[in-house]
Amino acid sequence: MDENRHHHDAAPADLRSWPDDGLPGGVTMTELEQSDDDESGDFAAVAYREEELWDVYCLPEALAQDFSGLLHALRQQPSISGAIGLVSVGDDFFIIIRVYGRDDVSLFLSDVTASIDWPVAREVLDYLEIDVPDDEDLDQVLPAGDLSILADLGMDEMELGALAGDLDLYPDEVLASISERLGFQQAFQRALDGMG
């Protein structure tokens, strides 16, 4: 594995300042190197708009499994309009995070049942103060969090809910559809293409 690979898909200098800063869940090279499976499908990207232009960068892949690290990374983004985190985990689910400044955070998790198998999904539910579902609730794919998280950008609750509930789409395909709907599909695709 190319040890420098993660440096190429990291965001620009303003987002690169994670040595751990002593924060729990900070990213270290050891964590980044743990995944030798380049086909995992996991990714975390940040999108932000300055004036009318969107920019999208991929974050280190390990952040797809590290909720507190994701929040820390998104809070480093100096965008006036806030940062949008788009996270795809395996073939299972996606997370959307919007961060304005340090304290204003909105979250959307596409499938609450993912919290059974995925610690990062449990962390999202924890943050939302929602209980992990019981066994009898596991036959339904239900989203959690703020369905109106992208409403001000033109994607209403029904549209996001329909995409999240479409079992024929993989999480990365849903996020690609969202990026197209919001107007940054090309930047999003370029960022993902640059991960390899």
Side-chain angles (χ1 to χ4, degrees):
M1 178 173 158
D2 176 3
E3 289 187 13
N4 294 318
R5 186 174 72 83
H6 291 288
H7 290 294
H8 298 305
D9 52 353
D14 54 319
L15 281 177
R16 226 179 253 187
S17 56
W18 305 300
D20 223 46
D21 295 340
L23 293 173
V27 178
T28 64
M29 276 314 290
T30 318
E31 288 173 279
L32 290 174
E33 306 266 298
Q34 279 174 0
S35 169
D36 288 329
D37 179 10
D38 285 338
E39 301 303 315
S40 69
D42 293 1
F43 68 80
V46 58
Y48 61 95
R49 187 166 60 179
E50 291 299 346
E51 293 169 1
E52 291 307 306
L53 297 174
W54 283 97
D55 219 337
V56 181
Y57 292 98
C58 280
L59 300 169
E61 187 182 309
L63 288 181
Q65 300 288 341
D66 177 5
F67 180 64
S68 57
L70 265 170
L71 284 182
H72 180 62
L74 293 171
R75 284 173 173 144
Q76 303 306 304
Q77 179 54 52
S79 168
I80 294 166
S81 59
I84 303 172
L86 303 166
V87 183
S88 173
V89 182
D91 293 336
D92 289 343
F93 65 100
F94 66 91
I95 303 165
I96 301 173
I97 307 168
R98 284 190 79 176
V99 175
Y100 297 91
R102 292 210 52 82
D103 301 317
D104 190 354
V105 176
S106 293
L107 287 172
F108 177 81
L109 172 66
S110 65
D111 179 11
V112 293
T113 65
S115 60
I116 301 297
D117 297 319
W118 297 94
V120 69
R122 277 196 297 280
E123 289 178 72
V124 171
L125 288 188
D126 231 18
Y127 192 93
L128 292 168
E129 299 180 348
I130 296 173
D131 293 332
V132 172
D134 296 325
D135 288 345
E136 61 266 20
D137 298 325
L138 295 183
D139 56 349
Q140 288 185 310
V141 174
L142 292 172
D146 183 2
L147 271 166
S148 64
I149 190 168
L150 302 172
D152 62 312
L153 298 172
M155 175 168 273
D156 66 28
E157 298 183 18
M158 287 182 64
E159 200 174 354
L160 181 56
L163 276 172
D166 188 338
L167 300 180
D168 292 329
L169 294 176
Y170 287 111
D172 60 324
E173 295 171 326
V174 175
L175 294 177
S177 293
I178 290 171
S179 72
E180 181 177 16
R181 184 73 178 76
L182 300 187
F184 57 82
Q185 183 185 27
Q186 287 185 326
F188 180 72
Q189 196 55 55
R190 266 198 311 273
L192 294 191
D193 290 347
M195 284 175 63

